[in-house]
Amino acid sequence: MIRSIHFWLLPMLIVFLAVYGTIGWNFIISLTDFQGITLPAYEVSNFDLEMYTQLIEDSTFWRALRNTVILMVLFPLACLSVGIFLAIIVDQKIRFENTFRIIYLLPFSLSFVVTAKFWLWMYNPEIGVINSILGYFGLDFLALNWLAPEYRLWAVMIALVWQFSGYAMIIYLAGLRRIPTTQYEAAKSDGANSLTVYLRIIIPQLRASTVSAAIVLIVFTLKAFDFLYAMFRSFPGPTADILATMMYREAFESANWAYGATIAMVLFLLALVIVVPYLYTEYRRGAL
Amino acid sequence: MVDDSNHPSRRRIIKYGGYAGVSSILGLAGCSGDDTGDGSGGEDGGDGNSGGDGGDGGNETTTGEGGSEELTLIHHWSRGADGEAMAQFLSGFEDGSGISVSEETPSGQGGANVRTIVRQRLLNENAPGSWQGLGGLDQIEFATALKDIESDVWEPEGAKEAYYEGAQEAAQLDGEYKQVPTNLHRINSLYYNTNILDEAGVDPDSISTIDDLTAAFDQIASETDATPFAKSISEPWTMLATWESLFLSIAGLEKFRQFTDGDVASVESEVRETFELIQQYSEHFPNDANSIAWPEAAARVGNGDAAFYHNGDFAVGVLLGIDGFEFGDDWNWMTVPGTEDYFLNVMDTFVYPKNTPTPEATQAYCRWCASVEGQEILNSIKGSIPPRSDVPQDEFSGYQVEQMESIADTEAQPLTITFTHAVNPDVSSSLKEAMGTFTSNQNVDEAYTGFRDAFE
């Protein structure tokens, strides 16, 4: 290890300073009362948990946390469901498989700003294509004011699922291709129908794909700021406000640096809650 | 064949490269450690900002005397009429002073990113020559870093005599002249499509009270297919602008100021009444009010889809930009009923940072901002009106001339809440958040509590 130090020390220091150094610095700021253009006194005697206390008493925080958790749970579930469905379809050796794969994956390659503006237009209840299409098929009763407060978070979720299900599909497709065909054939020869084959044999073997895709998708929800900002700017309303937008407002609009840093620490802890058990499990399985 | 024997191996290159890299990183870490040390002295840095002339001297790195300085200017007027006006304005300054201007123009609505950059530069003790802000308390967080320019800028330019009272109020922070307003926009104006009002049988001259306006909306809804009131509610600030205009009408100037002073409890009934009125008016908003931005809402008046529109008069640019849609014939304006005597102000300002490295250029620029000639160039192209009362009207459009005459007749020019003139950005941000919540749930009790708590 020592002999190879010149290979790993530089990247390690860069990562340490750029990532963990800034996380540590952010934590220190959250212990101060840094606000505006007056630098705080970085002395241990001045550090306290006042910002954390303030955060606990802030109803906006609890609302944003609730929306963040809803997004964290439901968005990955929906995305994985659509992803596995698409992967199974594409895995049927259909014609133009590559074309379909590209079509499904394409939204993932688009910028969030583009997709947010695109969906903002599609959701318009007067001139948007969603309500127009529903109207064309006589389904006017389904035409909603999609961005009304009561539907807003769901509207965001649908748009995100559209963008990310292609990614889930690719992960699942790779998982499906690793399963030996002999297992399909053996199950079929035992009289299992297709549904049983997928439910009992195939899907249980996609655990690793599910976990890795889920982790990426959940962590993304913690950073869904770009999408919401492009759609609604910094305040998407109480029904769609998430911690990332709240943090932006506090830090960059109100210059409440310490309070913004405190919200960032909560986001960081949420990310750890997701990532650490995954890493630990993988470590126990010998996959790391 | 090339003899490689004297060349270092790839492994050796990586090895020494690695050592060099590590040394650099450690060196940088060491440097940042020093910086941190300075930064904590940075409390002193803060003091330097807030106070000292010595600090000014220490940071001055003028490139020469008089006209050879280059002024670094951070502003957000880079597009459309704003961009063209600023280009002409700066060209006039450069020609007249011999000082060149280096512009930094971050994008972002309402100059939000200007503020972010300025904060960063001041924290790094790297003040620019000047920057653009909004008037009044919008710049309060920078107050200690700004120089009092009453004697260096306001008095030599005769600005204290020529500026409207509201603009003078907005120029001051903690009782000192620290900003130079360059242009005014009015918040309490309604814009309307004359053809739709004709079709509905509504005479705009007969609308003198809020009840008249409410009746006009109802009549337009029943007599035409047009949307009575084109509002976008996707961004809380546009709703807050409407709220404050209606609140001024309902509460009057004295209570408006009680509110901006933070005494919300004393005007509770008027605050609630204004929310209830907005609740009532929201029935006349477009069905897609939460999907459209304010320029689209304004354009609907121009397209004949909506009768009335409300926002600051920077929105007039949308109407002026519609071909064949003529001011006076096809559209016109009126003050929000009950606010005829007031010019609810929003303005842009420029400032003189104490620690600017180019004090002479900054002073010359601030004087240009305060001058008759500078304001004539900027405002005539931009579509706003000058904060000075003595700027000739010849170069201004018909709409602008009407506004210039109108402001001269007003009793007072109160400062806007929405654009953080009358309240500080923190309070304004909380008010917008409460307004965003109100547009979502229409809960007057929660909205009132949110407004009251915004000042705490």
Side-chain angles (χ1 to χ4, degrees), chain B residues 17 62 84 89 123-124 130 133 189 205 222 285 359 420-421 425 429 441:
Chain B
T62 50
E84 192 188 331
F89 179 69
L123 283 168
N124 292 337
S130 183
S189 300
D205 294 335
S222 63
F285 293 169
T420 63
H421 291 28
S429 181
N441 61 17

Side-chain angles (χ1 to χ4, degrees), chain B residues 232-243:
Chain B
S232 151
I233 61 169
S234 60
E235 293 181 72
W237 69 265
T238 63
M239 287 298 290
L240 187 59
T242 300
W243 184 91

Side-chain angles (χ1 to χ4, degrees), chain A residues 125 130-146 151:
Chain A
I130 294 178
N131 282 1
S132 302
I133 290 171
L134 289 171
Y136 181 78
F137 288 108
L139 300 170
D140 298 277
F141 63 95
L142 290 176
L144 301 171
N145 186 353
W146 296 96
Y151 307 123

Side-chain angles (χ1 to χ4, degrees), chain B residues 281-422:
Chain B
Y281 284 177
S282 65
E283 290 170 14
H284 295 304
F285 293 169
N287 291 336
D288 56 354
N290 53 22
S291 300
I292 56 173
W294 68 263
E296 291 167 87
R300 292 195 180 175
V301 171
N303 298 337
D305 294 329
F308 281 95
Y309 177 73
H310 174 264
N311 203 344
D313 70 5
F314 39 82
V316 163
V318 175
L319 302 177
L320 290 171
I322 299 173
D323 280 342
F325 193 62
E326 300 298 330
F327 170 62
D329 296 331
D330 300 311
W331 68 276
N332 217 319
W333 71 281
M334 58 188 285
T335 50
V336 170
T339 66
E340 293 77 12
D341 292 334
Y342 310 123
F343 191 100
L344 189 54
N345 257 327
V346 56
M347 67 195 77
D348 294 273
T349 63
F350 285 89
V351 296
Y352 185 139
K354 280 178 184 168
N355 287 347
T356 176
T358 54
E360 291 175 28
T362 298
Q363 180 170 306
Y365 178 72
C366 287
R367 284 189 182 179
W368 174 246
C369 290
S371 70
V372 172
E373 191 187 351
Q375 291 189 11
E376 185 177 24
I377 294 172
L378 181 77
N379 289 286
S380 61
I381 303 170
K382 188 181 179 314
S384 46
I385 65 168
R388 291 185 72 113
S389 58
D390 56 352
V391 175
Q393 297 180 349
D394 311 344
E395 298 296 321
F396 290 83
S397 70
Y399 172 78
Q400 287 170 300
V401 170
E402 280 193 20
Q403 289 294 341
M404 289 164 85
E405 287 169 353
S406 174
I407 191 174
D409 291 336
T410 54
E411 279 176 21
Q413 302 98 39
L415 303 180
T416 169
I417 296 166
T418 308
F419 298 94
T420 63
H421 291 28

Side-chain angles (χ1 to χ4, degrees), chain B residues 270-290:
Chain B
E270 289 83 0
V271 170
R272 286 177 180 275
E273 192 182 337
T274 311
F275 278 119
E276 283 158 7
L277 188 63
I278 289 198
Q279 220 171 20
Q280 193 181 342
Y281 284 177
S282 65
E283 290 170 14
H284 295 304
F285 293 169
N287 291 336
D288 56 354
N290 53 22

Side-chain angles (χ1 to χ4, degrees), chain B residues 5-191:
Chain B
S5 59
N6 291 328
H7 291 262
S9 68
R10 190 161 39 166
R11 186 180 174 87
R12 187 169 290 183
I13 289 171
I14 292 171
K15 184 175 174 178
Y16 289 119
Y19 289 149
V22 170
S23 308
S24 310
I25 294 284
L26 292 174
L28 279 172
C31 288
S32 57
D34 288 348
D35 285 348
T36 311
D38 289 340
S40 339
E43 289 171 275
D44 302 335
D47 290 339
N49 276 343
S50 59
D53 292 332
D56 290 352
N59 279 314
E60 282 175 18
T61 51
T62 50
T63 54
E65 288 184 15
S68 61
E69 287 184 334
E70 184 182 71
L71 179 83
T72 306
L73 186 64
I74 305 175
H75 69 90
H76 64 89
W77 284 333
S78 55
R79 294 177 299 159
D82 289 350
E84 192 188 331
M86 191 59 173
Q88 294 290 326
F89 179 69
L90 292 180
S91 172
F93 170 66
E94 288 179 327
D95 292 347
S97 64
I99 296 167
S100 61
V101 177
S102 167
E103 296 174 76
E104 195 174 333
T105 54
S107 59
Q109 192 179 45
N113 294 337
V114 169
R115 182 186 292 277
T116 305
I117 291 173
V118 168
R119 278 183 192 136
Q120 206 56 53
R121 289 186 65 141
L122 292 180
L123 283 168
N124 292 337
E125 299 186 14
N126 179 27
S130 183
W131 67 81
Q132 180 184 6
L134 296 169
L137 295 175
D138 178 72
Q139 297 290 299
I140 192 70
E141 67 174 291
F142 304 128
T144 55
L146 299 178
K147 186 174 174 179
D148 180 355
I149 46 176
E150 184 173 358
S151 58
D152 290 335
V153 175
W154 278 80
E155 285 171 357
E157 288 301 323
K160 288 179 77 174
E161 295 75 37
Y163 266 63
Y164 289 107
E165 199 179 305
Q168 292 209 40
E169 185 188 347
Q172 296 175 54
L173 293 168
D174 301 327
E176 294 180 336
Y177 284 83
K178 291 192 168 180
Q179 307 181 68
V180 188
T182 50
N183 56 290
L184 303 182
H185 289 284
R186 190 175 202 163
I187 299 287
N188 56 322
S189 300
L190 281 165
Y191 305 93

